[in-house]
Amino acid sequence: MSESGASDVNYIWKMLNMLKISVHRKLHFFSSISSSNLALVFVPLAVISIIICVLVGFPGRPSIILPKSGSLPLKFISKEYHEGDLNVEDSGPILAPSPSPCSWNEDITKATDFEGRKRYTNKNLERVEATLSKARASIKEVAKNGNNMTMISRNQGHDDDYIPYGPIYRNANAFHRSYIEMENRFKIYIYKEGEMPMFHTGPCTSIYTTEGRFIHEMERGNLYITENPEEALVYFLPFSVVYMVKYLYEPGAHHFHPMGRAIVDYINLISQRHPYWNRSLGADHFMVSCHDWGPYTSAYVPELYNNSIRVLCNANTSEGFNPLKDASLPEINLKTGEIKGLVGGPSPSRRSILAFFAGRLHGHIRSLLLEQWKGKDEDVQVYDNLPKETSYESMLRSSKFCLCPSGYEVASPRVVEAIYAECVPVLISDGYVPPFSDVLNWRSFSVIIKVEDIPNIKKILLGISQTQYLRMHRRIKQVQRHFVINGSPKRYDLFHMIVHSVWLRRLNIRIQDL
């Protein structure tokens, strides 16, 4: 092919990339186009497709297929986040909304036009998918028992300590089986490319703790890690958005270009050196970020934004978080890095305060809360600044319910702080997907209040009977284990729950070579 012909083909592919379209995907956004304008969209796309096929033949790119609803091991997403079941025959892949925070200028577009990518191969792909198929079938079989006492033999797993049970789970048996399958089958490959401090490490203190500690545990290589990328089920992108912001952000800038370009360069690098990104269009790759800007920086690589598993603290559906493929990461504020002595609190009879919140005026939800309740009721104690002689931790442990309103972003460390203190969390947000909500039934151990119901907080909480409150308190004590950070991870703790969230989303796709 001539240089001009190759240039034309690259240009055409760039246009498709910018539109977030793969020629092998169903084009979901057509449903929003009026019939009168439909031809204006189809004709140019048809011409582009014909040109590509004539010049280079069918591209042979892989397809990423969601299983039919009947084959899903778990009903991952509740109706409050996703209406209806998935059916690959009539819906096809579900893509996140197009990113809006970034300016797709020419330089960024050129950077995301991955020229020179290493061609993917089909080696071992069938074996990988066969492994996942067996896991799906196993989970589906035990899921029929719902939350009834599990019938799984201890001999089938390593269960000498805890077996999930009860209403804190959407389906305890399915979760239990899925967890065992994860322990037995899941293998993660960490790309070696990238240098510290922005890669292979992260912060282990402050509100970004979960990002850094997860990266550190991955790098230790004791659990789930394989050195052989051919046997991996997923591939970890070990960059820290927190450290990218720390070292690359230009103070006063109103864009994310330095961090975004660093991620673009990294994806360029691994896609040229390895075949795995191109084999799946990034769908079996995952990133972890607890920085507010994590979603925005990922948008500089459309395939990362649309296809990859993004484990994010900022799990906001109104900002492109897609619960079908993305996972919500708990935000935990470790001020000193100390992880001992964080969990526990007095009995319900020793909790004299109905509801409590203390926090700075961040965002419109907190503004509404403070305006409505600050200094106005002894039962609902709301502060922007606590009196100097009052301990924040003691207030948590003296309260029955702890208010957890979103700030500038949806996630708040108060959710986990409440769980640690055995105070029933009250979630007040717009568009927030709570952590591990594909497994945990948050309504069984927390209260979810709409923003417009902030004036009714006291009425809502007083409407919860003492019997129901005691039940929720017991469930909080049970669910604590899933949010605890351990120096060396223990089964079902925070680290394993994060990994399980990634495992579930890998189960939820099939990668096929066309």
Side-chain angles (χ1 to χ4, degrees), residues 153-208:
S153 168
R154 291 178 183 273
N155 294 331
Q156 291 178 283
H158 324 289
D159 284 344
D160 53 0
D161 49 357
Y162 178 74
I163 295 178
Y165 68 93
I168 69 167
Y169 302 105
R170 294 188 178 278
N171 187 317
N173 283 323
F175 173 45
H176 186 215
R177 169 56 76 182
S178 177
Y179 191 94
I180 291 174
E181 292 289 342
M182 174 186 74
E183 289 182 317
N184 292 336
R185 301 179 186 273
F186 205 27
K187 295 184 183 298
I188 302 171
Y189 179 76
I190 305 175
Y191 285 110
K192 304 300 188 291
E193 287 79 5
E195 297 181 0
M196 292 184 177
M198 293 186 294
F199 298 85
H200 304 289
T201 188
C204 288
T205 59
S206 78
I207 60 173
Y208 307 123

Side-chain angles (χ1 to χ4, degrees), residues 345-353 397-400:
S347 65
S349 62
R350 296 169 56 193
R351 295 175 180 266
S352 58
I353 302 171
R397 289 173 168 81
S398 299
S399 304
K400 294 181 178 179

Side-chain angles (χ1 to χ4, degrees), residues 342-348 350-351 397 420-423 473 477 480:
L342 300 177
V343 176
S347 65
R350 296 169 56 193
R351 295 175 180 266
R397 289 173 168 81
Y420 283 176
E422 298 171 7
C423 178
H473 183 266
K477 292 171 70 70
Q480 280 176 339

Side-chain angles (χ1 to χ4, degrees), residues 363-381:
H364 76 284
I365 295 178
R366 292 192 189 181
S367 177
L368 292 172
L369 180 66
L370 288 164
E371 180 182 349
Q372 183 69 38
W373 292 104
K374 179 185 173 183
K376 296 182 179 179
D377 196 299
E378 284 297 314
D379 291 327
V380 181
Q381 297 194 21

Side-chain angles (χ1 to χ4, degrees), residues 10-11 13-14 17 108-115 117 268:
N10 286 333
Y11 177 78
W13 275 113
K14 182 191 300 182
N17 193 36
I108 297 174
T109 303
K110 287 181 178 178
T112 58
D113 181 23
F114 299 110
E115 298 180 13
R117 286 180 169 186
N268 261 321

